[in-house]
Amino acid sequence: MTACGAALLGGFVTLYARGASALPAQALRPPGALDEETFLGACVRCGLCVRDCPYDTLALARLGEPVATGTPYFVARQVPCEMCEDIPCVKACPTGALDPELTDIDDARMGVAVLIDQQTCLNFLGLRCDVCYRVCPLIDEAISLELDHNKRTGMHTRFLPTVDADACTGCGKCEAACVLEVAAIKVLPTALAKGQLGSHYRLGWEEKEKAGESLIKGIIDLPDRMPNGGGVR
Amino acid sequence: MTAASLTHADVRTRWRWKWLLLRRTSQLAILALFLLGPWAGIWIVKGNLSSSLTLGVLPLTDPFLLLQVLASGHLPEATALVGVGIIVAFYLLVGGRVFCGWVCPVNLVTDGAAWLRDRLGLRARARPSRSTRYWLLAALLAASALTGMAVWEWVNPVSMLHRGLIFGFGFAWLVLLAVFLFDLLVTSRGWCSHVCPMGATYSLLGAASLLRVRADRRADCDDCMECFRVCPEPQVIQPALKGMEQGIGPVITGINCTNCGRCIDVCDQDVFRFGTRFHNTMEAS
Ligand code: SF4
Ligand code: SF4
Ligand code: SF4
């Protein structure tokens, strides 16, 4: 009887915990956080990371907030991660829920910045705002400006902020700094931001490089017709 | 007036609050140490009861939290392991559930409910078994292993109250209110003495702990039943106090005893005292 009751109670708690463990897109984990599933088992909700963050970036989720109760998170638009070189939050963590293997903050992957709204981004409108690009701690690596013809004026260049997901740490400084009322660039959890190739996909040019030659021999390279009367190559 | 002519009423005027007051002082002082940082900027202790760092050198981690982490399949860093080691060693010395009686903030809530219940003369509506907590402990560790998550931390009132005071409550006070009402209206001493798996973990340490309450002068017991009335775990008193005929020694060895010392306070015949678990012989009493 008692055992059944206890098992039932345990079951309810588990169901509730599973339901209340989804991380909303605005909530980012501190640097070095293990993947979300492991993190929810490893973190003891002590808040030592929160205490040692010199910028008050982190907070422990309170009951009623849409983040697993007691776990540390931050919202980039409010206070981004300043990417401390000595990573005090990771050092403070007693359990390794924030992985001590992370010693270079540039290797942190808290999320990925995505220029999510090209209709309001000032640079996409043809202006020179550049703020997200300038505040990025990895300027020209994580965000660069790609030049593009301004079709509206027909005579200017657009400088399009472009994120390289391989270099972006997800610190959120770009999102915090975006001058719009609602940021056009947002840091999303990696799982949400990134696509994934089918596991059987092979990129021909990479395979060719690996093999040192084309995998299919004797292919005839036909000439390519270039657009806008660009001739034949 | 000679000692022999003392009536029961005279003896009752003796001071009965020593251990209770010491216990409240300990609970509040420990809470104050944790709150000094966030409230006054004096950082002696950082973190909370789940895991903390004192003076930048002393790590402490709760054993039940660590068990959940281990069950979830994560091997924590050395800091947390050392922290648990220190806690386990300490409570093996002073008594497992000393945590419950002398440290845990939820005890203030449940003692409050017990006091009010007594005042209002409420009767129990349900009597869940006192072993519920151990089954729950086992069920939760199994659930942690199955899901890879520290599942109890979604509801744990102990973490929620302590973390709430230090880091902010949100709606966590609802959980505490539920515990209070459960103790007040449903089961006497319902939470701490029947359900709490965190207390159950500390109870297990009590199986070997050194410091124990002893009924050394049990021969003087005049059956006033005061100790049974105030004790949160009265079943632990029975064998030590009344087991003389069955050849049971005077040490309270029941693992659920919280070493609160309330029985020492209330006993007019000074039957109880703090001592060690050794010399648990018939001659000792
Ligand atoms: S790296 Fe620095 S700013 Fe970023 S969360 Fe950690 S402590 Fe805070
Ligand atoms: S320090 Fe580690 S265990 Fe503590 S709240 Fe932060 S991530 Fe969790
Ligand atoms: S036996 Fe005494 S010390 Fe132990 S819990 Fe009961 S009242 Fe407290």
Side-chain angles (χ1 to χ4, degrees):
Chain A
M1 233 295 274
T2 308
C4 291
L8 214 60
L9 189 53
F12 279 135
V13 171
T14 309
L15 282 181
Y16 166 67
R18 294 197 72 146
S21 65
L23 195 64
Q26 303 89 319
L28 302 172
R29 293 293 184 204
L34 302 173
D35 70 86
E36 187 61 14
E37 262 182 39
T38 322
F39 186 80
L40 291 177
C43 170
V44 294
R45 289 91 163 142
C46 64
L48 285 170
C49 53
V50 174
R51 287 300 178 227
D52 278 8
C53 173
Y55 300 98
D56 281 342
T57 299
L58 305 174
L60 291 188
R62 302 167 181 200
L63 194 64
E65 286 171 353
V67 178
T69 308
T71 57
Y73 75 105
F74 70 99
V75 175
R77 186 67 169 166
Q78 288 160 11
V79 195
C81 168
E82 294 289 334
M83 286 177 60
C84 313
E85 260 179 54
D86 52 343
I87 333 184
C89 50
V90 171
K91 282 200 188 132
C93 179
T95 61
L98 308 182
D99 192 349
E101 302 260 295
L102 179 74
T103 47
D104 180 350
I105 188 67
D106 291 350
D107 295 336
R109 292 293 176 267
M110 296 168 262
V112 178
V114 180
L115 204 147
I116 210 160
D117 188 6
Q118 310 194 342
Q119 281 166 330
T120 52
C121 168
L122 298 181
N123 274 32
F124 267 84
L125 292 175
L127 307 172
R128 285 302 299 276
C129 161
D130 293 3
V131 165
C132 58
Y133 165 73
R134 300 235 169 260
V135 297
C136 178
L138 296 171
I139 185 170
D140 283 325
E141 285 174 61
I143 306 188
S144 47
L145 295 177
E146 299 292 324
L147 306 192
D148 178 60
H149 176 60
N150 187 334
K151 290 209 198 89
R152 181 175 56 84
T153 64
M155 52 191 285
H156 297 96
T157 305
R158 298 195 301 169
F159 295 77
L160 308 182
T162 307
V163 176
D164 179 357
D166 288 336
C168 172
T169 64
C171 72
K173 294 204 74 169
C174 51
E175 182 179 337
C178 178
V179 300
L180 301 186
E181 228 160 86
V182 177
I185 189 165
K186 294 190 170 86
V187 176
L188 302 179
T190 311
L192 205 62
K194 292 281 292 170
Q196 193 175 23
L197 291 173
S199 60
H200 61 290
Y201 277 39
R202 299 288 176 272
L203 301 178
W205 52 94
E206 279 178 5
E207 298 302 316
K208 184 173 169 186
E209 202 165 319
K210 259 192 260 165
E213 55 177 338
S214 174
L215 296 184
I216 305 168
K217 309 222 164 55
I219 275 197
I220 313 163
D221 192 12
L222 295 173
D224 305 315
R225 195 182 303 280
M226 301 309 277
N228 305 332
V232 171
R233 207 167 70 186
Chain B
M1 193 160 61
T2 65
S5 70
L6 275 178
T7 67
H8 216 82
D10 293 328
V11 183
R12 278 193 185 278
T13 57
R14 75 190 258 287
W15 207 56
R16 304 154 55 101
W17 307 102
K18 175 176 161 198
W19 292 107
L20 183 62
L21 275 180
L22 279 173
R23 206 158 65 79
R24 293 284 178 256
T25 311
S26 156
Q27 289 168 327
L28 295 175
I30 290 169
L31 200 54
L33 273 180
F34 276 96
L35 290 174
L36 222 48
W39 288 9
I42 304 169
W43 293 100
I44 298 170
V45 187
K46 281 182 186 170
N48 56 39
L49 285 177
S50 303
S51 196
S52 63
L53 188 66
T54 303
L55 295 170
V57 290
L58 175 71
L60 298 173
T61 302
D62 182 86
F64 181 52
L65 260 296
L66 194 94
L67 282 179
Q68 287 183 79
V69 171
L70 286 175
S72 83
H74 175 76
L75 182 66
E77 290 300 306
T79 316
L81 296 174
V82 171
V84 155
I86 297 172
I87 286 289
V88 167
F90 177 74
Y91 286 107
L92 277 178
L93 223 57
V94 300
R97 289 197 73 204
V98 162
F99 172 83
C100 304
W102 294 74
V103 178
C104 181
V106 172
N107 178 268
L108 291 164
V109 176
T110 55
D111 270 2
W115 176 83
L116 192 61
R117 196 187 165 82
D118 205 37
R119 273 296 156 100
L120 301 177
L122 297 174
R123 318 233 92 240
R125 275 166 212 257
R127 291 185 195 280
S129 155
R130 285 183 189 263
S131 61
T132 308
R133 49 189 146 180
Y134 299 104
W135 291 105
L136 187 60
L137 171 61
L140 290 170
L141 292 182
S144 296
L146 283 174
T147 59
M149 309 190 304
V151 285
W152 190 240
E153 293 316 298
W154 269 263
V155 291
N156 191 347
V158 182
S159 318
M160 286 210 190
L161 176 53
H162 202 244
R163 192 172 57 230
L165 288 167
I166 298 170
F167 291 93
F169 266 105
F171 285 105
W173 60 270
L174 280 174
V175 176
L176 275 307
L177 183 67
V179 167
F180 182 82
L181 292 178
F182 178 60
D183 269 31
L184 181 68
L185 302 175
V186 182
T187 303
S188 163
R189 299 279 177 188
W191 186 261
C192 300
S193 299
H194 297 77
V195 183
C196 181
M198 206 154 166
T201 312
Y202 282 102
S203 283
L204 296 178
L205 291 179
S209 66
L210 192 66
L211 186 72
R212 301 270 73 182
V213 173
R214 311 171 54 111
D216 280 350
R217 296 180 47 188
R218 53 186 171 177
D220 294 351
C221 173
D222 62 0
D223 291 320
C224 74
M225 302 303 275
E226 269 294 279
C227 56
F228 286 97
R229 204 178 58 78
V230 295
C231 178
E233 306 273 1
Q235 79 282 5
V236 304
I237 296 182
Q238 174 73 25
L241 186 62
K242 298 289 163 199
M244 222 161 353
E245 269 99 80
Q246 293 100 294
I248 301 172
V251 176
I252 294 183
T253 51
I255 61 176
N256 293 319
C257 169
T258 66
N259 274 6
C260 70
R262 195 70 190 118
C263 49
I264 307 177
D265 271 344
V266 299
C267 179
D268 290 332
Q269 304 299 326
D270 282 335
V271 166
F272 301 97
R273 67 174 185 91
F274 274 118
T276 69
R277 70 183 308 112
F278 306 124
H279 306 297
N280 191 15
T281 56
M282 299 307 286
E283 297 82 64
S285 56

